[in-house]
Amino acid sequence: MKKLILLLVIPLVMLITSCDSDDPFTPTPTGNIYLTSIPAGAEIWIDGSNTFNTTPDTINDVDQGVRSVTLKLQDYNDTTFSVTVSENQTSVVTNIVLVSDINTTFYGTSPSVRIYETYGTSASLPSGLDLSSGMAYGVSSPEANLVDIYFYSDASGFSYLIQSADLHTGLIRKTDFFISSGTNLFDGEDSPARNSTWTNKINDTENNYVFLYDHDGHYSKFKIVTRGGGSGPGDPSWVDVQWYYNNIILDQRFN
């Protein structure tokens, strides 16, 4: 009987001793992170978890140590960086510049791209445009298969149009046009979705910018900026043009 009592007591003593020897629970030290971004309104993610806060804001009670912070905002690339958090301190990270994920190329700066009317002009005076490369080509040149739109004119001298390449004999690339209500090519307006109301040509006198939808499903934002020539034989009409070309298929954004 004494042996049984002794065997029961020993484990109990060991348990009490073990419990007494353990350190009490110590919470992980925490600090805070204050964040701002340009533009504001970005979601704040820490170590891969959404805090459900947006910039500018302070995230409280963040575990001490080096934390991975990601800012997420629609139309911008995710931006990730490290922040060191110290106990009872606020780490301040301000004016993080977010980079747009809109992928456009602008053509027609210094100088603008010039195209000439088709009637009565030589091959050295290009009438057509390859929207994707910003190059001007003749509609009868070896590169004519790259032409998306061209400056059409007829023998009467009364018809001057910027129109889809597939309207020219032997060319196949089709481009649709939508005339906007704006004149400022840099106003940040996005293109509407292409639909059956879009046309295949515009007058060369159009002053508003025009949205284009090309043969490959890319949108452009296009404007005639200068006009000249047309005084008589040997002086063909021409237009200088500028445009944004969206490099992502079916992407309508230009802001």
Side-chain angles (χ1 to χ4, degrees):
M1 184 66 179
K2 288 182 179 180
K3 289 184 178 180
L4 178 59
I5 293 173
L6 183 60
L7 290 173
L8 290 174
V9 169
I10 291 174
L12 181 59
V13 172
M14 292 177 63
L15 177 60
I16 294 172
T17 303
S18 175
C19 291
D20 288 343
S21 65
D22 285 345
D23 292 333
F25 174 73
T26 303
T28 302
T30 63
N32 312 311
I33 305 175
Y34 174 71
L35 296 160
T36 72
S37 66
I38 302 173
E43 294 178 352
I44 302 170
W45 292 61
I46 297 180
D47 293 338
S49 296
N50 191 353
T51 67
F52 299 100
N53 296 70
T54 58
T55 57
D57 206 347
T58 299
I59 311 302
N60 298 312
D61 300 322
V62 180
D63 287 351
Q64 176 179 281
V66 178
R67 308 268 69 90
S68 175
V69 177
T70 300
L71 301 184
K72 299 186 178 189
L73 184 64
Q74 184 176 348
D75 295 334
Y76 292 85
N77 293 316
D78 291 355
T79 301
T80 300
F81 50 94
S82 296
V83 177
T84 300
V85 178
S86 299
E87 183 176 6
N88 298 324
Q89 301 295 315
T90 298
S91 300
V92 177
V93 184
T94 59
N95 298 328
I96 300 297
V97 178
L98 307 181
V99 178
S100 173
D101 68 357
I102 299 174
N103 184 359
T104 60
T105 303
F106 184 73
Y107 294 113
T109 301
S110 301
S112 302
V113 179
R114 179 169 295 183
I115 53 175
Y116 296 83
E117 62 171 305
T118 51
Y119 182 76
T121 56
S122 66
S124 63
L125 300 177
S127 300
L129 288 177
D130 174 2
L131 295 171
S132 66
S133 71
M135 297 298 296
Y137 297 118
V139 291
S140 300
S141 70
E143 298 82 12
N145 63 317
L146 301 174
V147 170
D148 294 296
I149 61 175
Y150 72 106
F151 186 8
Y152 167 81
S153 64
D154 63 9
S156 69
F158 292 104
S159 183
Y160 294 91
L161 304 167
I162 309 298
Q163 62 184 30
S164 175
D166 69 324
L167 297 177
H168 188 279
T169 302
L171 301 185
I172 63 168
R173 293 182 64 80
K174 179 180 180 181
T175 298
D176 292 331
F177 296 68
F178 179 84
I179 300 172
S180 78
S181 59
T183 59
N184 178 10
L185 190 62
F186 312 105
D187 61 7
E189 287 295 315
D190 296 333
S191 175
R194 173 253 198 170
N195 59 36
S196 60
T197 66
W198 291 42
T199 108
N200 57 9
K201 62 176 74 74
I202 59 169
N203 289 317
D204 74 323
T205 55
E206 182 57 60
N207 289 317
N208 289 0
Y209 62 77
V210 180
F211 291 108
L212 307 176
Y213 180 85
D214 69 22
H215 197 75
D216 302 313
H218 290 267
Y219 285 89
S220 295
K221 190 176 181 180
F222 173 91
K223 182 173 173 61
I224 299 170
V225 294
T226 316
R227 301 169 183 83
S231 63
D235 183 30
S237 295
W238 52 263
V239 292
D240 286 342
V241 296
Q242 296 177 331
W243 71 99
Y244 283 101
Y245 177 82
N246 195 312
N247 296 289
I248 302 174
I249 291 176
L250 300 179
D251 192 341
Q252 303 163 223
R253 299 173 299 163
F254 291 96
N255 58 21

